[in-house]
Amino acid sequence: MTKQSGTGSSASPATVVKVVALIPSVVLAAVSLFALGRAAIGQPVWGPMAQTLPQAVASENLQEIARLIESGEDPDLPAWVPSGLAPDVAGPYTPLEVAVGRGDIRDAQLLLDYGASVEPRELEVLRCWSEVAASGGRAREWLLSLSPAPWPDCGDVSLPPGRH
Amino acid sequence: MRSLAPTALAFVLALLIAGALAHSAYQLPVQHSDNFDLMVTASGASSTASLFVSSLKASPTTLRPVRFVQTRWLMAFADWQRLPYNVVFGGVHAGLAIALMLAFTISLRLSGWTDLAAFGVAVLVLVGHHGFAAVFNQAYPINHFAQVALCASTTLALAVGQARRYNGAVVLVMLVYTLLLIEYGVLVWVVVAGAVLCGLPGLSRRIAIAATAVLVAYFLMRAVLGVSMPGIGNHGSGFGMEFYNASDLAERFGAHPIGFLAYTAVGSVLSILFSEPRLGLYKSLALFANGSASPVFFIHVTASLLTTGTLLWHLGKRVPRNPEDWCHRDRVFVTCGLLVLANGAVASAYMKDEMLAIGAMAYATAVFIAVRAAIERVPSMSVTRAVMLAVALGLGGTLWGFRTVGVHYRLRLAAASASSEWVMSFPPGEPDRWPTDSRVRRLALQLRTEAIERRVIAREFLPRWAERYWVE
């Protein structure tokens, strides 16, 4: 059925064109083989990474937030959040501090639904933290809705990450 | 003697690329939207027969009883084997990726090194094409567009091969199956009709007549049941530079639909050939209006221009005007052209990527034929032209390969989004949003738990630059 071309030496123009046409798919197949191999040994390319709860909040990873808490993680426990993910400098944050610092009301509400603590002292910290964190202002209305208590004087309040 | 090595190598390439695609597709959990209600209905019926009958009148515009039945059977299988639903549905999703790739490879009837080289380009065009890739981005819980694409590809594979006694029966079963799965199944009939019209050897005129009778019976059944076809207002779609949701679309175009239908049909064909427009939106217009466009636009359009340019050269220079002079490859090429046009017509009510899946497969097949013909002509070409062809194929293949890797990236994003959707659909602190019926509540809890336990990578941990080049 097929008429073969390029019957000359291996360096004939037809052979060169065939090789060039084939290279991208061979490269992709090799990458695919590598990816399948990594998956086979439990280390998939672009696979899930181990995260603490504050890190999961920082990466807006709702699934991981739910998985960690439903498997018994304390929703108030602070943990180290590296720079790039942290709402401010790298350091230890509670999950709620991360959510408020990022102005992420959806995740903050989810943490509350899961039983995270917003007792008066913690709420004061969060309100003051929202004033200084880069995106914290977005959480101001939500923080006001949590309690009728007046907005605190933030002068003496110790803020994350240094408070932990 | 004909060497089997190139054919074997082609299958190795196809299986490796399909294996990685299947792995990425498997990560996708069953999504809440589009699926949960279906699974509730499918698992709640007293029997398969009653489910089939009730699903005939489930919607005034869609007739998809097989979708309900296959969902019920897979759920029953999972229950019987004590497997998570996501393992079963994810397994089917992954299996479809491999089956589609095999059907595509078989339908090309590869033989020799020239075929292998052309296949190297075509396989990247297939997987990297937005129409084909989109069928893996959504599980419904079994993607019906992927199933129709598989049946269409299998039908084409039968059509290009020898006439066999079982071809008719297989094709008719697939046609009935896909028609009762989703309206898009009508394209399987188009494959049959196109193949017979173009004189492909595997399907006879009798099979085409029988397939047409099935199609007529199908439309009669819809008429008797009072089920119309999905039209404007069933789904959102773009027009020019603006995207309209379903109700806005119906309000704006519902009274005078012809112009919009023509716009979307033509746009669907252009999208298959040039990756533009997408979802009915012309980013090229935005480029002219704003002077800038996303790198995704340039990558997609350049890749498409290189391969569609090869197609148009082949159509203009190599396919004889007189059908009597057509060789086997010409017949396949023209059948694929008809399929692309028919896919555009079928996708006229609204445009979304997965509705272009069969057009994308036909496009990749036509690219294979055109590239193969171009490589065959190299010995009679000048050196300059041969170099230009090599550059075009190398660059085109690289860009399509880049698009293919992007499919994996987008599947990761889709998996993260689908998992989050379950958390937000049934939040822990809002009992009002949970189903009240205990059976439905159990199912919701099971699917939610499965989605949460199936860990996914957060967007933040994927390469930062990737979104700019792979996400539209």
Side-chain angles (χ1 to χ4, degrees), chain B residues 146-370:
Chain B
Q147 294 177 74
V148 177
L150 177 60
C151 290
S153 190
T154 306
T155 303
L156 187 61
L158 292 173
V160 299
Q162 295 172 353
R164 293 191 172 88
R165 282 174 57 191
Y166 58 78
N167 281 3
V170 173
V171 164
L172 292 177
V173 167
M174 288 194 298
L175 178 60
V176 172
Y177 177 83
T178 52
L179 284 173
L180 295 178
L181 179 66
I182 186 172
E183 291 70 18
Y184 192 60
V186 74
L187 283 175
V188 174
W189 175 83
V190 175
V191 180
V192 178
V196 172
L197 204 63
C198 294
L200 290 178
L203 301 180
S204 65
R205 195 166 294 184
R206 274 176 53 191
I207 295 173
I209 291 169
T212 306
V214 167
L215 190 71
V216 170
Y218 167 75
F219 281 112
L220 282 175
M221 185 168 88
R222 289 186 79 106
V224 169
L225 293 169
V227 181
S228 63
M229 293 296 277
I232 294 174
N234 281 85
H235 202 282
S237 194
F239 188 80
M241 288 166 59
E242 196 166 345
F243 191 85
Y244 295 86
N245 64 32
S247 56
D248 288 348
L249 208 60
E251 191 178 325
R252 167 138 194 213
F253 300 105
H256 305 286
I258 298 297
F260 179 78
L261 294 175
Y263 168 88
T264 308
V266 171
S268 295
V269 173
L270 292 176
S271 188
I272 293 168
L273 296 176
F274 298 104
S275 300
E276 167 76 348
R278 300 289 298 279
L279 305 173
L281 300 171
Y282 282 86
K283 288 180 186 153
S284 47
L285 292 178
L287 174 64
F288 287 120
N290 310 326
S292 66
S294 149
V296 179
F297 167 81
F298 293 108
I299 292 166
H300 283 204
V301 171
T302 307
S304 291
L305 280 173
L306 287 167
T307 42
T308 301
T310 314
L311 285 191
L312 295 177
W313 165 82
H314 184 74
L315 183 65
K317 299 277 188 186
R318 307 297 300 160
V319 179
R321 298 285 84 88
N322 185 354
E324 289 181 4
D325 298 332
W326 286 350
C327 67
H328 176 77
R329 300 270 185 200
D330 295 333
R331 297 178 197 283
V332 179
F333 188 84
V334 175
T335 304
C336 289
L338 291 175
L339 260 177
V340 169
L341 295 175
N343 197 154
V346 167
S348 60
Y350 52 87
M351 199 192 295
K352 61 177 182 175
D353 287 347
E354 53 266 56
M355 286 192 75
L356 308 179
I358 291 178
M361 292 189 80
Y363 177 71
T365 304
V367 165
F368 166 78
I369 294 168

Side-chain angles (χ1 to χ4, degrees), chain B residues 378-450:
Chain B
V378 169
S380 60
M381 282 180 186
S382 66
V383 173
T384 310
R385 286 197 169 191
V387 169
M388 283 170 61
L389 177 64
V391 169
L393 295 181
L395 179 61
T398 302
L399 289 173
W400 280 105
F402 187 75
R403 289 178 66 162
T404 299
V405 181
V407 174
H408 296 272
Y409 178 84
R410 288 197 301 277
L411 281 169
R412 300 294 192 284
L413 295 184
S417 170
S419 299
S420 300
E421 196 186 4
W422 281 104
V423 179
M424 294 314 290
S425 298
F426 301 117
E430 298 181 46
D432 293 351
R433 291 178 60 184
W434 284 73
T436 49
D437 180 88
S438 61
R439 182 186 69 82
V440 180
R441 193 182 173 84
R442 267 201 313 279
L443 180 61
L445 183 63
Q446 178 174 347
L447 288 166
R448 182 184 185 278
T449 305
E450 284 184 16

Side-chain angles (χ1 to χ4, degrees), chain A residues 31 41 48 51 53 61 72 88 95 133 151:
Chain A
V31 172
I41 59 169
Q51 286 184 283
L53 188 54
N61 190 347
D88 196 10
W151 197 268

Side-chain angles (χ1 to χ4, degrees), chain B residues 68-91:
Chain B
F68 288 85
V69 170
Q70 64 181 199
T71 301
R72 177 185 174 85
W73 284 358
L74 283 181
M75 290 176 78
F77 176 77
D79 292 339
W80 174 49
Q81 291 293 315
R82 297 178 185 277
L83 289 169
Y85 290 140
N86 274 291
V87 168
V88 173
F89 285 104

